[in-house]
Amino acid sequence: APWHLMMSLTPSRGCLLDLPWEDILVPHILCHLPLQQLLSLQRVSKSFQSLIQLYLANMRCFDSNQIGPVIPRAAFLNLLKDNKVLQQLALQNCSDWLTDRELLPVIRQNHHLYQIQLKGCAQLSCHALMAISLNCPNLRRLSLAHCEWVDSLSLRSLADHCKALEAVDLTACRQLKDEAICYLVQKCSRLKSLSLAVNANVGDVAVEETAKCCPELEHLDLTGCLRVKNDSIRVLAEYCPKLRSLKVKHCHNVAESSLSVLRSRGVELDVEPLPQTALVLLQDMAGFAPFINLQI
């Protein structure tokens, strides 16, 4: 429907392009159309091409998923070359070609970014995170899931310069150890959401420091953190009264004895307690409180 509306208001009708571009067309009309359709409009005429270029230069949010399953490198470079006002950047389907060479110019000319999604962008390097930390002082949300290039030095830079962070996803950032996580949470005490999932180097030290430094914490993902044990879960329950969800699946050293306090508070957990009959049976066999985290 939007496409037919746009095509009915062609320049020959003297309607659409006669409207003020920056005051009306860009902020109030074009923003309601899918990006893929806007790019197609560039082929209508030179005037439409200029209009769409103006829109792209003033775009506040860019999500590569809006282009399609694959976005060509050349298209990415052309789309964002003149934009200096981006606030949200999501790059999730360009990992085959996205490197520092393509990303860094975008980061360096956009100082208003508060949300960046780089999940699975495996060909970037720690220099990308350094650039983000130095150019995005207002950053609130950052996803670096499955970016194994993230190291402790670049994470420290992020913590030093982006202290307003509220959500960080470090899933499968396997270079990171407890010390790096502790530095992050000490500097970024406003964190509400943190994922440390799938990281065998993260243990009780990082979880306890997170609990003590981030009283606003609402969501914590520790899936597959094999070194996390009961003690840190108890500290989490003590220091994080606003916690709403905790993921501890495949944390085989976490028992129901430490989760029960959180469960009684209504915290959403991704593991279920064993039925009472099974608990009694295990107690009789083993002589101690059984573990519940026995996911299959």
Side-chain angles (χ1 to χ4, degrees), residues 10 24 28 45 55 85 111 144 155 157 181 187 192 203 207 210-211 214 216 218 234 250 281 287:
T10 57
I24 301 296
H28 298 295
S45 68
Y55 171 82
V85 295
H111 302 288
L144 298 169
L155 193 70
S157 178
I181 304 302
K187 297 287 186 176
K192 295 181 180 180
V207 177
T210 299
C214 303
E216 302 295 317
E218 297 178 2
R234 294 190 180 99
H250 304 302
L281 178 61

Side-chain angles (χ1 to χ4, degrees), residues 200-215:
N201 293 317
V202 170
D204 284 344
V205 173
V207 177
E208 290 182 16
E209 194 67 14
T210 299
K212 294 175 180 178
C213 294
C214 303

Side-chain angles (χ1 to χ4, degrees), residues 105-287:
V106 176
I107 297 297
R108 287 170 178 161
Q109 68 187 28
N110 283 282
H111 302 288
H112 303 289
L113 281 163
Y114 68 83
Q115 181 171 319
I116 300 176
Q117 163 68 268
L118 297 176
K119 179 180 179 180
C121 293
Q123 296 193 53
L124 298 175
S125 78
C126 60
H127 298 294
L129 187 52
M130 290 285 194
I132 290 171
S133 66
L134 295 175
N135 291 278
C136 305
N138 300 315
L139 196 63
R140 298 288 189 277
R141 305 181 66 85
L142 176 64
S143 175
L144 298 169
H146 302 282
C147 294
E148 297 194 20
W149 45 266
V150 177
D151 61 11
S152 58
L153 185 61
S154 58
L155 193 70
R156 287 174 71 93
S157 178
L158 179 74
D160 284 335
H161 296 93
C162 300
K163 298 179 181 180
L165 278 166
E166 296 179 357
V168 180
D169 188 346
L170 299 172
T171 298
C173 292
R174 295 187 175 91
Q175 288 195 57
L176 301 178
K177 299 181 179 180
D178 281 347
E179 293 78 9
I181 304 302
C182 289
Y183 193 87
L184 173 70
V185 298
Q186 288 165 3
K187 297 287 186 176
C188 302
S189 59
R190 300 182 191 177
L191 280 175
K192 295 181 180 180
S193 177
L194 177 64
S195 176
L196 304 173
V198 199
N199 192 332
N201 293 317
V202 170
D204 284 344
V205 173
V207 177
E208 290 182 16
E209 194 67 14
T210 299
K212 294 175 180 178
C213 294
C214 303
E216 302 295 317
L217 192 67
E218 297 178 2
H219 306 283
L220 180 61
D221 190 346
L222 301 174
T223 303
C225 294
L226 303 178
R227 294 177 57 231
V228 173
K229 301 181 178 66
N230 288 321
D231 288 345
S232 61
I233 302 301
R234 294 190 180 99
V235 173
L236 195 67
E238 179 180 356
Y239 284 88
C240 296
K242 297 184 179 181
L243 193 67
R244 294 167 53 192
S245 71
L246 173 65
K247 294 183 178 181
V248 289
K249 197 170 185 178
H250 304 302
C251 297
H252 300 302
N253 293 314
V254 175
E256 177 63 20
S257 58
S258 62
L259 293 175
S260 59
V261 174
L262 293 171
R263 201 184 298 280
S264 66
R265 266 177 23 200
V267 175
E268 180 183 342
L269 302 173
D270 63 341
V271 294
E272 297 294 334
L274 289 173
Q276 187 62 34
T277 53
L279 292 176
V280 173
L281 178 61
L282 286 173
Q283 285 175 327
D284 290 342
M285 295 175 60

